[in-house]
Amino acid sequence: QVQLQQSGPGLVKPSQTLSLTCVISGDTVSSNSAAWNWIRQSPSRGLEWLGRTYYRSKWYNDYAVSVKGRIIINPETSKNQFSLQMNSVTPEDTAVYYCVRRNFGDPDAFDIWGQGTMVTVSS
Amino acid sequence: DIQMTQSPSTLSASVGDRVTITCRASQSITTWLAWYQQKPGKAPKLLIYKASNLESGVPSRFSGSGSGTEFALTISSLQSDDFATYYCQQYNIFPYNFGQGTKLDLK
């Protein structure tokens, strides 16, 4: 079955870059029937979709306006994973971050979630 | 952005009760709506997709309905495992916003 395994630091200093990785098993990052997303959750902002990467003959990205210009989501095909980089972080970016598969097959939904990584932005 | 409004924010119920949670979108999302269950310390779990389709392995006491801007999640007979927080999410138009959540607790 498809699984997503997240990794990355739990503490980031203000103004620095948050970096997380999501390793995919049971599917491929270059699948033509999936997109690979990052979603975060905090008490103040709730669940917030951040962006996605997907492959349809070439690579595409979409980002939420709220974080556009600060984040990059990159696929890494050799390792079958994708990553999130968010720069210039502030305490407002403190949240649990999830990597999530959007399946365009069956079910046609955000069906597989990583375990979550609690990231605290603090000096 | 499409705003998703859930009600109620908190719902107290007993085992065996029938409960309904509603979700309203600020504009039509046709049937591009999902429902998730989340327990403390865990990732959200997909229950319903495309408004009314039951995810594989989810008990049949869960059902979803609606289209356009009005949606509902119904649990026909609450079990002890169902006490959790429930979220709706639209995935029709970026950004794919979520509702604020409904906490279902034991009366």
Side-chain angles (χ1 to χ4, degrees):
Chain A
Q1 73 279 24
V2 180
Q3 292 184 321
L4 303 176
Q5 182 67 38
Q6 300 177 217
S7 62
L11 181 63
V12 182
K13 289 181 169 27
S15 79
Q16 295 195 342
T17 298
L18 178 163
S19 296
L20 298 173
T21 298
C22 183
V23 177
I24 303 164
S25 57
D27 199 349
T28 63
V29 70
S30 53
S31 166
N32 279 300
S33 61
W36 305 96
N37 299 260
W38 287 97
I39 291 171
R40 68 181 177 183
Q41 184 175 29
S42 66
S44 59
R45 302 172 74 95
L47 284 158
E48 180 183 15
W49 175 82
L50 299 176
R52 66 178 184 176
T53 189
Y54 61 99
Y55 185 77
R56 300 290 186 270
S57 303
K58 67 175 187 177
W59 289 101
Y60 294 88
N61 290 96
D62 296 295
Y63 300 120
V65 170
S66 60
V67 292
K68 200 169 187 177
R70 286 207 298 138
I71 76 168
I72 298 173
I73 297 176
N74 270 333
E76 299 178 56
T77 55
S78 62
K79 297 180 180 179
N80 201 32
Q81 64 187 34
F82 63 109
S83 62
L84 168 69
Q85 286 193 316
M86 179 182 292
N87 59 35
S88 304
V89 297
T90 72
E92 280 283 298
D93 296 311
T94 294
V96 178
Y97 287 75
Y98 294 100
C99 57
V100 188
R101 182 179 79 165
R102 164 64 157 100
N103 188 5
F104 289 92
D106 182 26
D108 187 356
F110 289 77
D111 63 340
I112 305 295
W113 293 61
Q115 80 275 23
T117 301
M118 177 67 215
V119 177
T120 301
V121 178
S122 174
S123 54
Chain B
D1 293 6
I2 297 177
Q3 305 307 313
M4 305 301 293
T5 304
Q6 284 182 238
S7 61
S9 296
T10 306
L11 180 57
S12 297
S14 302
V15 172
D17 284 354
R18 178 183 179 91
V19 298
T20 296
I21 299 167
T22 63
C23 181
R24 175 176 293 173
S26 60
Q27 66 187 73
S28 177
I29 56 171
T30 62
T31 57
W32 293 105
L33 184 102
W35 289 98
Y36 302 90
Q37 177 192 68
Q38 188 177 34
K39 295 183 177 179
K42 299 294 188 182
K45 173 189 171 184
L46 178 67
L47 299 176
I48 301 287
Y49 63 97
K50 290 194 76 178
S52 60
N53 293 273
L54 191 67
E55 166 66 329
S56 177
V58 174
S60 59
R61 63 181 180 272
F62 291 91
S63 64
S65 63
S67 66
T69 61
E70 301 283 340
F71 301 88
L73 172 71
T74 298
I75 309 173
S76 60
S77 179
L78 268 176
Q79 303 300 303
S80 57
D81 191 49
D82 301 337
F83 294 99
T85 301
Y86 293 84
Y87 295 94
C88 62
Q89 180 204 19
Q90 69 84 13
Y91 55 113
N92 186 42
I93 296 174
F94 295 134
Y96 297 143
N97 286 338
F98 292 79
Q100 80 279 16
T102 295
K103 185 176 182 181
L104 179 54
D105 61 22
L106 187 60
K107 185 186 290 182

PDB file of all heavy atoms in Angstrom, chain A residues 62-80:
ATOM      1  N   ASP A  62       2.070  24.297  -8.102  1.00  0.00           N
ATOM      2  CA  ASP A  62       1.075  25.299  -7.735  1.00  0.00           C
ATOM      3  C   ASP A  62       1.280  25.620  -6.263  1.00  0.00           C
ATOM      4  O   ASP A  62       1.522  24.708  -5.463  1.00  0.00           O
ATOM      5  CB  ASP A  62      -0.350  24.779  -7.935  1.00  0.00           C
ATOM      6  CG  ASP A  62      -0.657  24.496  -9.388  1.00  0.00           C
ATOM      7  OD1 ASP A  62      -0.673  25.444 -10.185  1.00  0.00           O
ATOM      8  OD2 ASP A  62      -0.877  23.313  -9.725  1.00  0.00           O
ATOM      9  N   TYR A  63       1.137  26.907  -5.917  1.00  0.00           N
ATOM     10  CA  TYR A  63       1.350  27.327  -4.538  1.00  0.00           C
ATOM     11  C   TYR A  63       0.207  28.221  -4.076  1.00  0.00           C
ATOM     12  O   TYR A  63      -0.371  28.975  -4.861  1.00  0.00           O
ATOM     13  CB  TYR A  63       2.669  28.102  -4.410  1.00  0.00           C
ATOM     14  CG  TYR A  63       3.898  27.312  -4.807  1.00  0.00           C
ATOM     15  CD1 TYR A  63       4.720  27.742  -5.839  1.00  0.00           C
ATOM     16  CD2 TYR A  63       4.232  26.146  -4.137  1.00  0.00           C
ATOM     17  CE1 TYR A  63       5.865  27.035  -6.195  1.00  0.00           C
ATOM     18  CE2 TYR A  63       5.365  25.410  -4.492  1.00  0.00           C
ATOM     19  CZ  TYR A  63       6.169  25.866  -5.523  1.00  0.00           C
ATOM     20  OH  TYR A  63       7.285  25.149  -5.883  1.00  0.00           O
ATOM     21  N   ALA A  64      -0.094  28.131  -2.792  1.00  0.00           N
ATOM     22  CA  ALA A  64      -1.069  29.037  -2.211  1.00  0.00           C
ATOM     23  C   ALA A  64      -0.509  30.460  -2.233  1.00  0.00           C
ATOM     24  O   ALA A  64       0.680  30.679  -1.993  1.00  0.00           O
ATOM     25  CB  ALA A  64      -1.382  28.616  -0.777  1.00  0.00           C
ATOM     26  N   VAL A  65      -1.391  31.406  -2.500  1.00  0.00           N
ATOM     27  CA  VAL A  65      -0.963  32.805  -2.553  1.00  0.00           C
ATOM     28  C   VAL A  65      -0.361  33.244  -1.223  1.00  0.00           C
ATOM     29  O   VAL A  65       0.583  34.032  -1.185  1.00  0.00           O
ATOM     30  CB  VAL A  65      -2.154  33.706  -2.943  1.00  0.00           C
ATOM     31  CG1 VAL A  65      -1.815  35.170  -2.764  1.00  0.00           C
ATOM     32  CG2 VAL A  65      -2.579  33.428  -4.372  1.00  0.00           C
ATOM     33  N   SER A  66      -0.878  32.675  -0.126  1.00  0.00           N
ATOM     34  CA  SER A  66      -0.432  33.092   1.211  1.00  0.00           C
ATOM     35  C   SER A  66       1.051  32.808   1.443  1.00  0.00           C
ATOM     36  O   SER A  66       1.676  33.458   2.280  1.00  0.00           O
ATOM     37  CB  SER A  66      -1.262  32.378   2.278  1.00  0.00           C
ATOM     38  OG  SER A  66      -1.111  30.975   2.169  1.00  0.00           O
ATOM     39  N   VAL A  67       1.619  31.848   0.714  1.00  0.00           N
ATOM     40  CA  VAL A  67       3.032  31.500   0.921  1.00  0.00           C
ATOM     41  C   VAL A  67       3.840  31.594  -0.371  1.00  0.00           C
ATOM     42  O   VAL A  67       5.044  31.332  -0.370  1.00  0.00           O
ATOM     43  CB  VAL A  67       3.182  30.077   1.507  1.00  0.00           C
ATOM     44  CG1 VAL A  67       2.646  30.026   2.929  1.00  0.00           C
ATOM     45  CG2 VAL A  67       2.500  29.037   0.628  1.00  0.00           C
ATOM     46  N   LYS A  68       3.194  31.990  -1.453  1.00  0.00           N
ATOM     47  CA  LYS A  68       3.901  32.060  -2.732  1.00  0.00           C
ATOM     48  C   LYS A  68       5.049  33.043  -2.633  1.00  0.00           C
ATOM     49  O   LYS A  68       4.926  34.117  -2.034  1.00  0.00           O
ATOM     50  CB  LYS A  68       2.927  32.489  -3.838  1.00  0.00           C
ATOM     51  CG  LYS A  68       3.392  32.157  -5.232  1.00  0.00           C
ATOM     52  CD  LYS A  68       2.257  32.363  -6.226  1.00  0.00           C
ATOM     53  CE  LYS A  68       2.649  31.874  -7.605  1.00  0.00           C
ATOM     54  NZ  LYS A  68       1.535  32.007  -8.568  1.00  0.00           N
ATOM     55  N   GLY A  69       6.178  32.654  -3.224  1.00  0.00           N
ATOM     56  CA  GLY A  69       7.362  33.480  -3.122  1.00  0.00           C
ATOM     57  C   GLY A  69       8.250  33.072  -1.969  1.00  0.00           C
ATOM     58  O   GLY A  69       9.437  33.431  -1.929  1.00  0.00           O
ATOM     59  N   ARG A  70       7.702  32.298  -1.029  1.00  0.00           N
ATOM     60  CA  ARG A  70       8.485  31.815   0.107  1.00  0.00           C
ATOM     61  C   ARG A  70       8.722  30.317   0.069  1.00  0.00           C
ATOM     62  O   ARG A  70       9.560  29.819   0.816  1.00  0.00           O
ATOM     63  CB  ARG A  70       7.805  32.154   1.432  1.00  0.00           C
ATOM     64  CG  ARG A  70       7.879  33.594   1.858  1.00  0.00           C
ATOM     65  CD  ARG A  70       7.809  33.700   3.383  1.00  0.00           C
ATOM     66  NE  ARG A  70       6.561  33.179   3.918  1.00  0.00           N
ATOM     67  CZ  ARG A  70       6.493  32.423   5.008  1.00  0.00           C
ATOM     68  NH1 ARG A  70       7.584  32.056   5.653  1.00  0.00           N
ATOM     69  NH2 ARG A  70       5.308  32.019   5.461  1.00  0.00           N
ATOM     70  N   ILE A  71       7.928  29.603  -0.748  1.00  0.00           N
ATOM     71  CA  ILE A  71       8.088  28.159  -0.720  1.00  0.00           C
ATOM     72  C   ILE A  71       8.450  27.599  -2.081  1.00  0.00           C
ATOM     73  O   ILE A  71       8.115  28.177  -3.120  1.00  0.00           O
ATOM     74  CB  ILE A  71       6.846  27.428  -0.167  1.00  0.00           C
ATOM     75  CG1 ILE A  71       5.694  27.357  -1.173  1.00  0.00           C
ATOM     76  CG2 ILE A  71       6.372  28.048   1.132  1.00  0.00           C
ATOM     77  CD1 ILE A  71       4.598  26.384  -0.729  1.00  0.00           C
ATOM     78  N   ILE A  72       9.149  26.477  -2.023  1.00  0.00           N
ATOM     79  CA  ILE A  72       9.453  25.676  -3.206  1.00  0.00           C
ATOM     80  C   ILE A  72       9.161  24.227  -2.854  1.00  0.00           C
ATOM     81  O   ILE A  72       9.577  23.738  -1.799  1.00  0.00           O
ATOM     82  CB  ILE A  72      10.933  25.815  -3.610  1.00  0.00           C
ATOM     83  CG1 ILE A  72      11.273  27.261  -3.976  1.00  0.00           C
ATOM     84  CG2 ILE A  72      11.257  24.893  -4.791  1.00  0.00           C
ATOM     85  CD1 ILE A  72      12.748  27.498  -4.215  1.00  0.00           C
ATOM     86  N   ILE A  73       8.412  23.566  -3.737  1.00  0.00           N
ATOM     87  CA  ILE A  73       8.170  22.125  -3.594  1.00  0.00           C
ATOM     88  C   ILE A  73       8.863  21.454  -4.764  1.00  0.00           C
ATOM     89  O   ILE A  73       8.559  21.750  -5.925  1.00  0.00           O
ATOM     90  CB  ILE A  73       6.666  21.801  -3.568  1.00  0.00           C
ATOM     91  CG1 ILE A  73       6.016  22.457  -2.353  1.00  0.00           C
ATOM     92  CG2 ILE A  73       6.449  20.285  -3.537  1.00  0.00           C
ATOM     93  CD1 ILE A  73       4.497  22.289  -2.280  1.00  0.00           C
ATOM     94  N   ASN A  74       9.798  20.568  -4.455  1.00  0.00           N
ATOM     95  CA  ASN A  74      10.616  19.928  -5.491  1.00  0.00           C
ATOM     96  C   ASN A  74      10.451  18.423  -5.485  1.00  0.00           C
ATOM     97  O   ASN A  74      10.527  17.794  -4.424  1.00  0.00           O
ATOM     98  CB  ASN A  74      12.095  20.226  -5.245  1.00  0.00           C
ATOM     99  CG  ASN A  74      12.560  21.486  -5.934  1.00  0.00           C
ATOM    100  OD1 ASN A  74      12.003  21.887  -6.954  1.00  0.00           O
ATOM    101  ND2 ASN A  74      13.585  22.102  -5.377  1.00  0.00           N
ATOM    102  N   PRO A  75      10.289  17.837  -6.658  1.00  0.00           N
ATOM    103  CA  PRO A  75      10.344  16.382  -6.743  1.00  0.00           C
ATOM    104  C   PRO A  75      11.802  15.927  -6.835  1.00  0.00           C
ATOM    105  O   PRO A  75      12.652  16.653  -7.358  1.00  0.00           O
ATOM    106  CB  PRO A  75       9.628  16.086  -8.060  1.00  0.00           C
ATOM    107  CG  PRO A  75       9.933  17.274  -8.910  1.00  0.00           C
ATOM    108  CD  PRO A  75      10.032  18.452  -7.970  1.00  0.00           C
ATOM    109  N   GLU A  76      12.076  14.751  -6.319  1.00  0.00           N
ATOM    110  CA  GLU A  76      13.414  14.151  -6.447  1.00  0.00           C
ATOM    111  C   GLU A  76      13.195  12.722  -6.943  1.00  0.00           C
ATOM    112  O   GLU A  76      12.965  11.807  -6.152  1.00  0.00           O
ATOM    113  CB  GLU A  76      14.145  14.194  -5.118  1.00  0.00           C
ATOM    114  CG  GLU A  76      14.361  15.616  -4.602  1.00  0.00           C
ATOM    115  CD  GLU A  76      15.046  15.656  -3.242  1.00  0.00           C
ATOM    116  OE1 GLU A  76      16.137  15.089  -3.098  1.00  0.00           O
ATOM    117  OE2 GLU A  76      14.460  16.255  -2.321  1.00  0.00           O
ATOM    118  N   THR A  77      13.230  12.560  -8.236  1.00  0.00           N
ATOM    119  CA  THR A  77      12.831  11.282  -8.837  1.00  0.00           C
ATOM    120  C   THR A  77      13.777  10.145  -8.464  1.00  0.00           C
ATOM    121  O   THR A  77      13.324   9.011  -8.259  1.00  0.00           O
ATOM    122  CB  THR A  77      12.755  11.405 -10.366  1.00  0.00           C
ATOM    123  OG1 THR A  77      14.010  11.889 -10.856  1.00  0.00           O
ATOM    124  CG2 THR A  77      11.654  12.376 -10.767  1.00  0.00           C
ATOM    125  N   SER A  78      15.071  10.422  -8.334  1.00  0.00           N
ATOM    126  CA  SER A  78      16.030   9.348  -8.038  1.00  0.00           C
ATOM    127  C   SER A  78      15.781   8.724  -6.676  1.00  0.00           C
ATOM    128  O   SER A  78      16.111   7.562  -6.449  1.00  0.00           O
ATOM    129  CB  SER A  78      17.456   9.883  -8.137  1.00  0.00           C
ATOM    130  OG  SER A  78      17.648  10.905  -7.179  1.00  0.00           O
ATOM    131  N   LYS A  79      15.217   9.511  -5.771  1.00  0.00           N
ATOM    132  CA  LYS A  79      14.936   9.014  -4.417  1.00  0.00           C
ATOM    133  C   LYS A  79      13.452   8.767  -4.185  1.00  0.00           C
ATOM    134  O   LYS A  79      13.048   8.401  -3.087  1.00  0.00           O
ATOM    135  CB  LYS A  79      15.459  10.001  -3.379  1.00  0.00           C
ATOM    136  CG  LYS A  79      16.970  10.180  -3.411  1.00  0.00           C
ATOM    137  CD  LYS A  79      17.426  11.164  -2.348  1.00  0.00           C
ATOM    138  CE  LYS A  79      18.939  11.346  -2.366  1.00  0.00           C
ATOM    139  NZ  LYS A  79      19.398  12.318  -1.338  1.00  0.00           N
ATOM    140  N   ASN A  80      12.638   8.995  -5.201  1.00  0.00           N
ATOM    141  CA  ASN A  80      11.180   8.863  -5.110  1.00  0.00           C
ATOM    142  C   ASN A  80      10.635   9.620  -3.899  1.00  0.00           C
ATOM    143  O   ASN A  80       9.952   9.062  -3.029  1.00  0.00           O
ATOM    144  CB  ASN A  80      10.737   7.394  -5.061  1.00  0.00           C
ATOM    145  CG  ASN A  80       9.291   7.241  -5.484  1.00  0.00           C
ATOM    146  OD1 ASN A  80       8.786   7.997  -6.317  1.00  0.00           O
ATOM    147  ND2 ASN A  80       8.617   6.251  -4.923  1.00  0.00           N
TER     148      ASN A  80
END
